[in-house]
Amino acid sequence: MHLKLSKRGEAEEVAAPDPVTDISGQVIQIGSEVTAFKVGDKVVCRLGFAVCGLAEYAVASETETSLRPEELSSVNAAGLPVASLTALECLQMIGTKFNGTGNGANILITAASGGVGSYAVQLAKLGGHHVTATYGARNVDLVRSLGADEVSLDLAQGQSQKNSSGKKYDYIINCAPAVLWKTLKSSISNEGLVMLVC
């Protein structure tokens, strides 16, 4: 069950493989057991880590492939799979652990203007959580537009580690490698969970 995708046109030789796992392209050939796609479909997919996504053509699993939304360019779509799925996994963990309902957790998301962080903010808000998001100084408008309840300058720059209500966080999704555990531990509640996405 594999698809063969063309990303740009004619094949070119790639000098050295890099572990690029997110790709977007158009289906040019399908295996006999593929049922979800047809030749010509515009798709986005996540390749396995042993596969290089920098080649002109790639073979992808049907289960790791989705139709690309029409309003999304191929370039923008290629950034979706790993970042969005990582954020989704974090929020699914919260949903199964918090009050049995998954709603109403007080969540801190560091580096909220990055790939995983930006998806995490939006998914957390969709899940009914209170979100405090940190950001780099130049990204305040972006982070606010994502729907965070509160925004704070990046913790790595020594800013406040508690939300404005003074509560500690039930969950921290740390997407910022520069934010160390010693910075986060005073912000997490006694029963809280820190997820490191670095």
Side-chain angles (χ1 to χ4, degrees), residues 29-158:
Q29 183 180 348
I30 60 172
S32 61
E33 296 180 32
V34 173
T35 60
F37 304 100
K38 64 184 181 312
V39 172
D41 283 345
K42 294 179 180 175
V43 296
V44 60
C45 63
R46 180 181 71 140
L47 300 174
F49 285 104
V51 180
C52 178
L54 292 178
E56 286 296 323
Y57 298 94
V59 176
S61 167
E62 181 179 28
T63 60
E64 299 289 335
T65 304
S66 296
L67 289 172
R68 185 178 84 217
E70 294 208 13
E71 63 275 6
L72 202 56
S73 73
S74 184
V75 171
N76 290 333
L80 283 172
V82 171
S84 61
L85 289 173
T86 302
L88 180 61
E89 286 178 16
C90 289
L91 272 295
Q92 287 174 330
M93 286 179 66
I94 290 171
T96 59
K97 295 188 181 299
F98 187 75
N99 289 344
T101 66
N103 293 333
N106 191 19
I107 302 173
L108 170 66
I109 301 171
T110 64
S113 60
V116 175
S118 62
Y119 290 114
V121 169
Q122 295 171 80
L123 291 171
K125 289 307 300 172
L126 284 171
H129 302 293
H130 182 273
V131 176
T132 301
T134 69
Y135 58 90
R138 69 174 192 250
N139 297 316
V140 64
D141 292 333
L142 169 65
V143 174
R144 284 193 176 123
S145 76
L146 297 173
D149 298 294
E150 300 177 52
V151 294
S152 175
L153 195 60
D154 195 337
L155 291 175
Q157 298 179 24

